[in-house]
Amino acid sequence: MHNDDSFDLQGFLPYLLAQAAETASAGFQRHYKDRYGMLRTEWRVLFHLGRYGPMTAKDIGARARVHKTKISRAVAALETKRFLTRNVVTRDRRQAKLDLTKNGQAAFDDLYKAAQAFDAQLMAGFSRQEGAALKRCLAALAAQ
Amino acid sequence: MHNDDSFDLQGFLPYLLAQAAETASAGFQRHYKDRYGMLRTEWRVLFHLGRYGPMTAKDIGARARVHKTKISRAVAALETKRFLTRNVVTRDRRQAKLDLTKNGQAAFDDLYKAAQAFDAQLMAGFSRQEGAALKRCLAALAAQ
DNA sequence: TATTGTTATACTCTATAACTATA
DNA sequence: TATAGTTATAGAGTATAACAATA
């Protein structure tokens, strides 16, 4: 037993991060999973296409720093759900440009708003400075 | 496309939390996995026994807010690795008091120091105030 | 009947290697 | 040979239901 100081799991940064991330993730999952049957990577892929426009799987991987195998499965699932179409690039037939369908665009519009609202709700407990500092710290930790 | 404002995944709190948590988790996993072949829940159970002394699986679950099935599997794995022993409680034979072995205690001592050092390293990029604020925010988010 | 702990099962997420088809 | 994307597989994490033993 170490009662000589106060270091415990609740003060261990990786543990705190894991708890907070899990809570936040579970909270937002409600939107993309319960409403659209999506998994996390599918929501991220949908987000990129909705936010930045049509692009190839490779483009998404580069932008989001997600491995191509994850993208590949997410794209296949989104295609099955009729949220996007694949269109082979004529000058390099290995690639396919991914376009959101009308349904995909609608799901994005909905989830984009939901994400903003969810983020605002999470940040509501903090002052503007506190919240900004929090996000800066997290970005720095993620970049390690 | 939504170019009318600057909300993107890099600013979405659940995403930032997931990235930071994953990075931190992967960093510390090196210690408990590579050095002792432990999984995350095993390390947490070991921590509780080392930090607060012998207790039952139920006690750990209550303290750490971890489900009994996770505890059960972690305890079984730690017993196989000879890091703890189970001793049936005579007045209620459903329960077993869990005691760290010498090896278990040594692993805890090592990992406890490693955790403190790892935490200090992660926090090194922040001022004392910033770091404290970060941990307060994370605890609040986890408690949602 | 309720509680402690175990087992079974399934789903999510991650990581890597091996493969295809194209270039 | 290299690149875009797919498939297979395994490991890690989570969640829940059903069960045995004991109270």
Side-chain angles (χ1 to χ4, degrees):
Chain A
M1 274 187 274
H2 287 238
N3 290 319
D4 51 313
D5 61 48
S6 64
F7 184 76
D8 65 14
L9 269 192
Q10 319 301 324
F12 186 41
L13 190 52
Y15 180 82
L16 281 167
L17 286 166
Q19 300 296 313
E22 195 189 329
T23 300
S25 224
F28 191 66
Q29 192 182 20
R30 199 167 57 77
H31 294 278
Y32 61 75
K33 186 183 174 190
D34 294 0
R35 282 151 74 174
Y36 298 102
M38 288 184 203
L39 300 183
R40 189 200 284 188
T41 310
E42 293 170 46
W43 140 248
R44 288 182 183 170
V45 165
L46 182 87
F47 186 97
H48 276 270
L49 292 173
R51 182 71 176 77
Y52 305 110
M55 61 181 93
T56 67
K58 185 193 178 183
D59 295 333
I60 298 176
R63 222 182 232 285
R65 284 192 219 101
V66 173
H67 195 267
K68 62 182 181 176
T69 57
K70 288 191 202 176
I71 310 268
S72 175
R73 286 195 172 87
V75 165
L78 289 170
E79 191 185 28
T80 297
K81 295 183 184 96
R82 313 280 180 199
F83 285 149
L84 61 76
T85 57
R86 303 193 223 208
N87 304 289
V88 170
V89 174
T90 48
R91 66 164 187 211
D92 181 349
R93 289 168 37 233
R94 292 172 301 183
Q95 303 185 47
K97 183 164 69 79
L98 307 169
D99 291 275
L100 292 186
T101 61
K102 214 167 175 183
N103 276 349
Q105 187 62 46
F108 168 75
D109 289 342
D110 180 36
L111 288 174
Y112 186 78
K113 283 193 209 95
Q116 283 184 302
F118 189 79
D119 193 79
Q121 183 188 319
L122 288 178
M123 298 291 279
F126 311 129
S127 72
R128 193 162 298 234
Q129 289 168 2
E130 228 175 359
L134 171 63
K135 287 188 176 179
R136 264 189 286 105
C137 287
L138 291 173
L141 288 168
Q144 289 287 313
Chain B
M1 274 186 271
H2 287 240
N3 291 320
D4 52 314
D5 60 48
S6 64
F7 184 76
D8 63 14
L9 270 191
Q10 319 300 323
F12 186 40
L13 190 51
Y15 180 83
L16 281 167
L17 285 166
Q19 300 296 315
E22 196 189 328
T23 301
S25 224
F28 191 66
Q29 192 182 20
R30 201 165 57 77
H31 294 279
Y32 61 75
K33 185 181 175 194
D34 294 0
R35 281 151 75 174
Y36 297 103
M38 288 184 202
L39 300 183
R40 188 200 283 187
T41 310
E42 294 171 46
W43 140 247
R44 287 182 183 170
V45 165
L46 182 88
F47 187 98
H48 277 270
L49 292 172
R51 181 72 176 76
Y52 305 111
M55 61 181 91
T56 68
K58 185 192 178 185
D59 296 333
I60 298 176
R63 221 183 233 286
R65 285 192 218 99
V66 173
H67 195 267
K68 62 182 181 176
T69 56
K70 287 190 205 178
I71 310 268
S72 176
R73 287 196 171 87
V75 166
L78 289 170
E79 191 185 27
T80 298
K81 295 185 183 95
R82 312 282 180 198
F83 285 149
L84 60 77
T85 58
R86 306 193 220 209
N87 303 288
V88 170
V89 174
T90 50
R91 69 166 186 209
D92 183 347
R93 290 167 38 231
R94 292 173 300 184
Q95 303 185 49
K97 184 164 69 76
L98 306 169
D99 292 276
L100 292 186
T101 61
K102 214 168 174 181
N103 276 351
Q105 187 62 48
F108 168 74
D109 290 342
D110 179 36
L111 288 175
Y112 186 78
K113 283 192 209 96
Q116 283 184 302
F118 189 78
D119 192 79
Q121 183 189 318
L122 288 179
M123 299 290 278
F126 311 129
S127 72
R128 195 162 297 233
Q129 289 169 1
E130 226 175 1
L134 170 64
K135 287 188 175 180
R136 265 189 286 103
C137 288
L138 292 174
L141 288 168
Q144 289 288 314

mmCIF file with all atom_site columns, all heavy atoms in Angstrom, chain B residues 99-118:
data_model
loop_
_atom_site.group_PDB
_atom_site.id
_atom_site.type_symbol
_atom_site.label_atom_id
_atom_site.label_alt_id
_atom_site.label_comp_id
_atom_site.label_asym_id
_atom_site.label_entity_id
_atom_site.label_seq_id
_atom_site.pdbx_PDB_ins_code
_atom_site.Cartn_x
_atom_site.Cartn_y
_atom_site.Cartn_z
_atom_site.occupancy
_atom_site.B_iso_or_equiv
_atom_site.pdbx_formal_charge
_atom_site.auth_seq_id
_atom_site.auth_comp_id
_atom_site.auth_asym_id
_atom_site.auth_atom_id
_atom_site.pdbx_PDB_model_num
ATOM 1   N N   . ASP B 1 99  ? -4.894 -11.237 -2.617  1.00 0.00 ? 99  ASP B N   1
ATOM 2   C CA  . ASP B 1 99  ? -3.621 -10.733 -2.085  1.00 0.00 ? 99  ASP B CA  1
ATOM 3   C C   . ASP B 1 99  ? -2.564 -10.776 -3.169  1.00 0.00 ? 99  ASP B C   1
ATOM 4   O O   . ASP B 1 99  ? -2.428 -11.787 -3.870  1.00 0.00 ? 99  ASP B O   1
ATOM 5   C CB  . ASP B 1 99  ? -3.156 -11.622 -0.924  1.00 0.00 ? 99  ASP B CB  1
ATOM 6   C CG  . ASP B 1 99  ? -4.046 -11.503 0.296   1.00 0.00 ? 99  ASP B CG  1
ATOM 7   O OD1 . ASP B 1 99  ? -3.836 -10.571 1.084   1.00 0.00 ? 99  ASP B OD1 1
ATOM 8   O OD2 . ASP B 1 99  ? -4.953 -12.355 0.451   1.00 0.00 ? 99  ASP B OD2 1
ATOM 9   N N   . LEU B 1 100 ? -1.786 -9.713  -3.278  1.00 0.00 ? 100 LEU B N   1
ATOM 10  C CA  . LEU B 1 100 ? -0.674 -9.733  -4.222  1.00 0.00 ? 100 LEU B CA  1
ATOM 11  C C   . LEU B 1 100 ? 0.404  -10.681 -3.706  1.00 0.00 ? 100 LEU B C   1
ATOM 12  O O   . LEU B 1 100 ? 0.672  -10.733 -2.501  1.00 0.00 ? 100 LEU B O   1
ATOM 13  C CB  . LEU B 1 100 ? -0.086 -8.324  -4.387  1.00 0.00 ? 100 LEU B CB  1
ATOM 14  C CG  . LEU B 1 100 ? -0.973 -7.293  -5.084  1.00 0.00 ? 100 LEU B CG  1
ATOM 15  C CD1 . LEU B 1 100 ? -0.191 -6.007  -5.306  1.00 0.00 ? 100 LEU B CD1 1
ATOM 16  C CD2 . LEU B 1 100 ? -1.501 -7.816  -6.407  1.00 0.00 ? 100 LEU B CD2 1
ATOM 17  N N   . THR B 1 101 ? 1.018  -11.418 -4.621  1.00 0.00 ? 101 THR B N   1
ATOM 18  C CA  . THR B 1 101 ? 2.192  -12.214 -4.260  1.00 0.00 ? 101 THR B CA  1
ATOM 19  C C   . THR B 1 101 ? 3.394  -11.274 -4.234  1.00 0.00 ? 101 THR B C   1
ATOM 20  O O   . THR B 1 101 ? 3.290  -10.078 -4.536  1.00 0.00 ? 101 THR B O   1
ATOM 21  C CB  . THR B 1 101 ? 2.454  -13.286 -5.330  1.00 0.00 ? 101 THR B CB  1
ATOM 22  O OG1 . THR B 1 101 ? 2.696  -12.619 -6.579  1.00 0.00 ? 101 THR B OG1 1
ATOM 23  C CG2 . THR B 1 101 ? 1.259  -14.223 -5.470  1.00 0.00 ? 101 THR B CG2 1
ATOM 24  N N   . LYS B 1 102 ? 4.547  -11.836 -3.908  1.00 0.00 ? 102 LYS B N   1
ATOM 25  C CA  . LYS B 1 102 ? 5.776  -11.053 -3.916  1.00 0.00 ? 102 LYS B CA  1
ATOM 26  C C   . LYS B 1 102 ? 6.005  -10.478 -5.322  1.00 0.00 ? 102 LYS B C   1
ATOM 27  O O   . LYS B 1 102 ? 6.322  -9.307  -5.479  1.00 0.00 ? 102 LYS B O   1
ATOM 28  C CB  . LYS B 1 102 ? 6.944  -11.958 -3.514  1.00 0.00 ? 102 LYS B CB  1
ATOM 29  C CG  . LYS B 1 102 ? 8.018  -11.252 -2.720  1.00 0.00 ? 102 LYS B CG  1
ATOM 30  C CD  . LYS B 1 102 ? 8.984  -12.263 -2.113  1.00 0.00 ? 102 LYS B CD  1
ATOM 31  C CE  . LYS B 1 102 ? 10.157 -11.536 -1.421  1.00 0.00 ? 102 LYS B CE  1
ATOM 32  N NZ  . LYS B 1 102 ? 11.133 -12.494 -0.844  1.00 0.00 ? 102 LYS B NZ  1
ATOM 33  N N   . ASN B 1 103 ? 5.827  -11.340 -6.326  1.00 0.00 ? 103 ASN B N   1
ATOM 34  C CA  . ASN B 1 103 ? 5.977  -10.896 -7.714  1.00 0.00 ? 103 ASN B CA  1
ATOM 35  C C   . ASN B 1 103 ? 4.959  -9.820  -8.065  1.00 0.00 ? 103 ASN B C   1
ATOM 36  O O   . ASN B 1 103 ? 5.276  -8.858  -8.761  1.00 0.00 ? 103 ASN B O   1
ATOM 37  C CB  . ASN B 1 103 ? 5.785  -12.073 -8.672  1.00 0.00 ? 103 ASN B CB  1
ATOM 38  C CG  . ASN B 1 103 ? 7.064  -12.873 -8.853  1.00 0.00 ? 103 ASN B CG  1
ATOM 39  O OD1 . ASN B 1 103 ? 8.131  -12.449 -8.395  1.00 0.00 ? 103 ASN B OD1 1
ATOM 40  N ND2 . ASN B 1 103 ? 6.961  -14.015 -9.502  1.00 0.00 ? 103 ASN B ND2 1
ATOM 41  N N   . GLY B 1 104 ? 3.726  -10.012 -7.610  1.00 0.00 ? 104 GLY B N   1
ATOM 42  C CA  . GLY B 1 104 ? 2.676  -9.039  -7.873  1.00 0.00 ? 104 GLY B CA  1
ATOM 43  C C   . GLY B 1 104 ? 3.011  -7.697  -7.251  1.00 0.00 ? 104 GLY B C   1
ATOM 44  O O   . GLY B 1 104 ? 2.834  -6.640  -7.869  1.00 0.00 ? 104 GLY B O   1
ATOM 45  N N   . GLN B 1 105 ? 3.504  -7.759  -6.034  1.00 0.00 ? 105 GLN B N   1
ATOM 46  C CA  . GLN B 1 105 ? 3.879  -6.529  -5.328  1.00 0.00 ? 105 GLN B CA  1
ATOM 47  C C   . GLN B 1 105 ? 5.027  -5.827  -6.061  1.00 0.00 ? 105 GLN B C   1
ATOM 48  O O   . GLN B 1 105 ? 5.017  -4.602  -6.216  1.00 0.00 ? 105 GLN B O   1
ATOM 49  C CB  . GLN B 1 105 ? 4.300  -6.871  -3.892  1.00 0.00 ? 105 GLN B CB  1
ATOM 50  C CG  . GLN B 1 105 ? 4.547  -5.652  -3.012  1.00 0.00 ? 105 GLN B CG  1
ATOM 51  C CD  . GLN B 1 105 ? 3.302  -4.787  -2.832  1.00 0.00 ? 105 GLN B CD  1
ATOM 52  O OE1 . GLN B 1 105 ? 2.221  -5.308  -2.535  1.00 0.00 ? 105 GLN B OE1 1
ATOM 53  N NE2 . GLN B 1 105 ? 3.430  -3.480  -3.033  1.00 0.00 ? 105 GLN B NE2 1
ATOM 54  N N   . ALA B 1 106 ? 5.995  -6.628  -6.521  1.00 0.00 ? 106 ALA B N   1
ATOM 55  C CA  . ALA B 1 106 ? 7.143  -6.059  -7.235  1.00 0.00 ? 106 ALA B CA  1
ATOM 56  C C   . ALA B 1 106 ? 6.682  -5.413  -8.546  1.00 0.00 ? 106 ALA B C   1
ATOM 57  O O   . ALA B 1 106 ? 7.129  -4.316  -8.897  1.00 0.00 ? 106 ALA B O   1
ATOM 58  C CB  . ALA B 1 106 ? 8.177  -7.149  -7.510  1.00 0.00 ? 106 ALA B CB  1
ATOM 59  N N   . ALA B 1 107 ? 5.769  -6.091  -9.248  1.00 0.00 ? 107 ALA B N   1
ATOM 60  C CA  . ALA B 1 107 ? 5.246  -5.541  -10.502 1.00 0.00 ? 107 ALA B CA  1
ATOM 61  C C   . ALA B 1 107 ? 4.509  -4.234  -10.213 1.00 0.00 ? 107 ALA B C   1
ATOM 62  O O   . ALA B 1 107 ? 4.664  -3.246  -10.936 1.00 0.00 ? 107 ALA B O   1
ATOM 63  C CB  . ALA B 1 107 ? 4.312  -6.539  -11.176 1.00 0.00 ? 107 ALA B CB  1
ATOM 64  N N   . PHE B 1 108 ? 3.720  -4.244  -9.150  1.00 0.00 ? 108 PHE B N   1
ATOM 65  C CA  . PHE B 1 108 ? 3.007  -3.011  -8.786  1.00 0.00 ? 108 PHE B CA  1
ATOM 66  C C   . PHE B 1 108 ? 3.976  -1.886  -8.477  1.00 0.00 ? 108 PHE B C   1
ATOM 67  O O   . PHE B 1 108 ? 3.811  -0.768  -8.979  1.00 0.00 ? 108 PHE B O   1
ATOM 68  C CB  . PHE B 1 108 ? 2.091  -3.230  -7.590  1.00 0.00 ? 108 PHE B CB  1
ATOM 69  C CG  . PHE B 1 108 ? 1.575  -1.938  -7.029  1.00 0.00 ? 108 PHE B CG  1
ATOM 70  C CD1 . PHE B 1 108 ? 0.591  -1.224  -7.708  1.00 0.00 ? 108 PHE B CD1 1
ATOM 71  C CD2 . PHE B 1 108 ? 2.113  -1.401  -5.870  1.00 0.00 ? 108 PHE B CD2 1
ATOM 72  C CE1 . PHE B 1 108 ? 0.140  -0.007  -7.226  1.00 0.00 ? 108 PHE B CE1 1
ATOM 73  C CE2 . PHE B 1 108 ? 1.666  -0.171  -5.383  1.00 0.00 ? 108 PHE B CE2 1
ATOM 74  C CZ  . PHE B 1 108 ? 0.681  0.520   -6.061  1.00 0.00 ? 108 PHE B CZ  1
ATOM 75  N N   . ASP B 1 109 ? 4.970  -2.172  -7.647  1.00 0.00 ? 109 ASP B N   1
ATOM 76  C CA  . ASP B 1 109 ? 5.934  -1.128  -7.277  1.00 0.00 ? 109 ASP B CA  1
ATOM 77  C C   . ASP B 1 109 ? 6.566  -0.514  -8.524  1.00 0.00 ? 109 ASP B C   1
ATOM 78  O O   . ASP B 1 109 ? 6.684  0.706   -8.649  1.00 0.00 ? 109 ASP B O   1
ATOM 79  C CB  . ASP B 1 109 ? 7.022  -1.711  -6.371  1.00 0.00 ? 109 ASP B CB  1
ATOM 80  C CG  . ASP B 1 109 ? 6.495  -2.063  -4.987  1.00 0.00 ? 109 ASP B CG  1
ATOM 81  O OD1 . ASP B 1 109 ? 5.405  -1.549  -4.613  1.00 0.00 ? 109 ASP B OD1 1
ATOM 82  O OD2 . ASP B 1 109 ? 7.140  -2.863  -4.283  1.00 0.00 ? 109 ASP B OD2 1
ATOM 83  N N   . ASP B 1 110 ? 6.933  -1.392  -9.450  1.00 0.00 ? 110 ASP B N   1
ATOM 84  C CA  . ASP B 1 110 ? 7.559  -0.938  -10.686 1.00 0.00 ? 110 ASP B CA  1
ATOM 85  C C   . ASP B 1 110 ? 6.577  -0.094  -11.509 1.00 0.00 ? 110 ASP B C   1
ATOM 86  O O   . ASP B 1 110 ? 6.900  1.016   -11.955 1.00 0.00 ? 110 ASP B O   1
ATOM 87  C CB  . ASP B 1 110 ? 8.020  -2.164  -11.480 1.00 0.00 ? 110 ASP B CB  1
ATOM 88  C CG  . ASP B 1 110 ? 8.671  -1.777  -12.794 1.00 0.00 ? 110 ASP B CG  1
ATOM 89  O OD1 . ASP B 1 110 ? 9.358  -0.740  -12.833 1.00 0.00 ? 110 ASP B OD1 1
ATOM 90  O OD2 . ASP B 1 110 ? 8.488  -2.509  -13.791 1.00 0.00 ? 110 ASP B OD2 1
ATOM 91  N N   . LEU B 1 111 ? 5.366  -0.616  -11.693 1.00 0.00 ? 111 LEU B N   1
ATOM 92  C CA  . LEU B 1 111 ? 4.391  0.066   -12.539 1.00 0.00 ? 111 LEU B CA  1
ATOM 93  C C   . LEU B 1 111 ? 3.880  1.353   -11.890 1.00 0.00 ? 111 LEU B C   1
ATOM 94  O O   . LEU B 1 111 ? 3.539  2.313   -12.584 1.00 0.00 ? 111 LEU B O   1
ATOM 95  C CB  . LEU B 1 111 ? 3.223  -0.877  -12.862 1.00 0.00 ? 111 LEU B CB  1
ATOM 96  C CG  . LEU B 1 111 ? 3.578  -1.996  -13.842 1.00 0.00 ? 111 LEU B CG  1
ATOM 97  C CD1 . LEU B 1 111 ? 2.416  -2.967  -14.015 1.00 0.00 ? 111 LEU B CD1 1
ATOM 98  C CD2 . LEU B 1 111 ? 3.973  -1.405  -15.202 1.00 0.00 ? 111 LEU B CD2 1
ATOM 99  N N   . TYR B 1 112 ? 3.834  1.344   -10.596 1.00 0.00 ? 112 TYR B N   1
ATOM 100 C CA  . TYR B 1 112 ? 3.400  2.555   -9.881  1.00 0.00 ? 112 TYR B CA  1
ATOM 101 C C   . TYR B 1 112 ? 4.385  3.692   -10.159 1.00 0.00 ? 112 TYR B C   1
ATOM 102 O O   . TYR B 1 112 ? 3.980  4.810   -10.494 1.00 0.00 ? 112 TYR B O   1
ATOM 103 C CB  . TYR B 1 112 ? 3.322  2.260   -8.384  1.00 0.00 ? 112 TYR B CB  1
ATOM 104 C CG  . TYR B 1 112 ? 2.758  3.389   -7.548  1.00 0.00 ? 112 TYR B CG  1
ATOM 105 C CD1 . TYR B 1 112 ? 1.388  3.615   -7.499  1.00 0.00 ? 112 TYR B CD1 1
ATOM 106 C CD2 . TYR B 1 112 ? 3.597  4.209   -6.803  1.00 0.00 ? 112 TYR B CD2 1
ATOM 107 C CE1 . TYR B 1 112 ? 0.856  4.639   -6.729  1.00 0.00 ? 112 TYR B CE1 1
ATOM 108 C CE2 . TYR B 1 112 ? 3.085  5.240   -6.031  1.00 0.00 ? 112 TYR B CE2 1
ATOM 109 C CZ  . TYR B 1 112 ? 1.709  5.445   -5.992  1.00 0.00 ? 112 TYR B CZ  1
ATOM 110 O OH  . TYR B 1 112 ? 1.205  6.467   -5.225  1.00 0.00 ? 112 TYR B OH  1
ATOM 111 N N   . LYS B 1 113 ? 5.655  3.370   -10.070 1.00 0.00 ? 113 LYS B N   1
ATOM 112 C CA  . LYS B 1 113 ? 6.681  4.384   -10.382 1.00 0.00 ? 113 LYS B CA  1
ATOM 113 C C   . LYS B 1 113 ? 6.607  4.782   -11.853 1.00 0.00 ? 113 LYS B C   1
ATOM 114 O O   . LYS B 1 113 ? 6.698  5.963   -12.197 1.00 0.00 ? 113 LYS B O   1
ATOM 115 C CB  . LYS B 1 113 ? 8.080  3.834   -10.071 1.00 0.00 ? 113 LYS B CB  1
ATOM 116 C CG  . LYS B 1 113 ? 8.430  3.829   -8.587  1.00 0.00 ? 113 LYS B CG  1
ATOM 117 C CD  . LYS B 1 113 ? 9.938  3.540   -8.394  1.00 0.00 ? 113 LYS B CD  1
ATOM 118 C CE  . LYS B 1 113 ? 10.207 2.840   -7.072  1.00 0.00 ? 113 LYS B CE  1
ATOM 119 N NZ  . LYS B 1 113 ? 10.308 1.352   -7.197  1.00 0.00 ? 113 LYS B NZ  1
ATOM 120 N N   . ALA B 1 114 ? 6.442  3.771   -12.713 1.00 0.00 ? 114 ALA B N   1
ATOM 121 C CA  . ALA B 1 114 ? 6.360  4.045   -14.150 1.00 0.00 ? 114 ALA B CA  1
ATOM 122 C C   . ALA B 1 114 ? 5.169  4.951   -14.464 1.00 0.00 ? 114 ALA B C   1
ATOM 123 O O   . ALA B 1 114 ? 5.260  5.855   -15.293 1.00 0.00 ? 114 ALA B O   1
ATOM 124 C CB  . ALA B 1 114 ? 6.254  2.743   -14.931 1.00 0.00 ? 114 ALA B CB  1
ATOM 125 N N   . ALA B 1 115 ? 4.036  4.696   -13.775 1.00 0.00 ? 115 ALA B N   1
ATOM 126 C CA  . ALA B 1 115 ? 2.835  5.501   -14.003 1.00 0.00 ? 115 ALA B CA  1
ATOM 127 C C   . ALA B 1 115 ? 3.074  6.946   -13.587 1.00 0.00 ? 115 ALA B C   1
ATOM 128 O O   . ALA B 1 115 ? 2.697  7.882   -14.301 1.00 0.00 ? 115 ALA B O   1
ATOM 129 C CB  . ALA B 1 115 ? 1.646  4.910   -13.253 1.00 0.00 ? 115 ALA B CB  1
ATOM 130 N N   . GLN B 1 116 ? 3.709  7.120   -12.438 1.00 0.00 ? 116 GLN B N   1
ATOM 131 C CA  . GLN B 1 116 ? 3.993  8.491   -11.981 1.00 0.00 ? 116 GLN B CA  1
ATOM 132 C C   . GLN B 1 116 ? 4.902  9.212   -12.958 1.00 0.00 ? 116 GLN B C   1
ATOM 133 O O   . GLN B 1 116 ? 4.682  10.372  -13.295 1.00 0.00 ? 116 GLN B O   1
ATOM 134 C CB  . GLN B 1 116 ? 4.639  8.463   -10.588 1.00 0.00 ? 116 GLN B CB  1
ATOM 135 C CG  . GLN B 1 116 ? 3.641  8.203   -9.473  1.00 0.00 ? 116 GLN B CG  1
ATOM 136 C CD  . GLN B 1 116 ? 4.273  8.270   -8.101  1.00 0.00 ? 116 GLN B CD  1
ATOM 137 O OE1 . GLN B 1 116 ? 5.204  7.536   -7.818  1.00 0.00 ? 116 GLN B OE1 1
ATOM 138 N NE2 . GLN B 1 116 ? 3.768  9.152   -7.261  1.00 0.00 ? 116 GLN B NE2 1
ATOM 139 N N   . ALA B 1 117 ? 5.920  8.484   -13.429 1.00 0.00 ? 117 ALA B N   1
ATOM 140 C CA  . ALA B 1 117 ? 6.863  9.088   -14.367 1.00 0.00 ? 117 ALA B CA  1
ATOM 141 C C   . ALA B 1 117 ? 6.179  9.397   -15.697 1.00 0.00 ? 117 ALA B C   1
ATOM 142 O O   . ALA B 1 117 ? 6.402  10.464  -16.286 1.00 0.00 ? 117 ALA B O   1
ATOM 143 C CB  . ALA B 1 117 ? 8.050  8.150   -14.594 1.00 0.00 ? 117 ALA B CB  1
ATOM 144 N N   . PHE B 1 118 ? 5.329  8.478   -16.141 1.00 0.00 ? 118 PHE B N   1
ATOM 145 C CA  . PHE B 1 118 ? 4.640  8.681   -17.420 1.00 0.00 ? 118 PHE B CA  1
ATOM 146 C C   . PHE B 1 118 ? 3.690  9.864   -17.334 1.00 0.00 ? 118 PHE B C   1
ATOM 147 O O   . PHE B 1 118 ? 3.617  10.697  -18.238 1.00 0.00 ? 118 PHE B O   1
ATOM 148 C CB  . PHE B 1 118 ? 3.874  7.406   -17.802 1.00 0.00 ? 118 PHE B CB  1
ATOM 149 C CG  . PHE B 1 118 ? 3.305  7.424   -19.188 1.00 0.00 ? 118 PHE B CG  1
ATOM 150 C CD1 . PHE B 1 118 ? 4.122  7.185   -20.279 1.00 0.00 ? 118 PHE B CD1 1
ATOM 151 C CD2 . PHE B 1 118 ? 1.964  7.693   -19.396 1.00 0.00 ? 118 PHE B CD2 1
ATOM 152 C CE1 . PHE B 1 118 ? 3.599  7.210   -21.579 1.00 0.00 ? 118 PHE B CE1 1
ATOM 153 C CE2 . PHE B 1 118 ? 1.443  7.719   -20.687 1.00 0.00 ? 118 PHE B CE2 1
ATOM 154 C CZ  . PHE B 1 118 ? 2.271  7.480   -21.775 1.00 0.00 ? 118 PHE B CZ  1
#
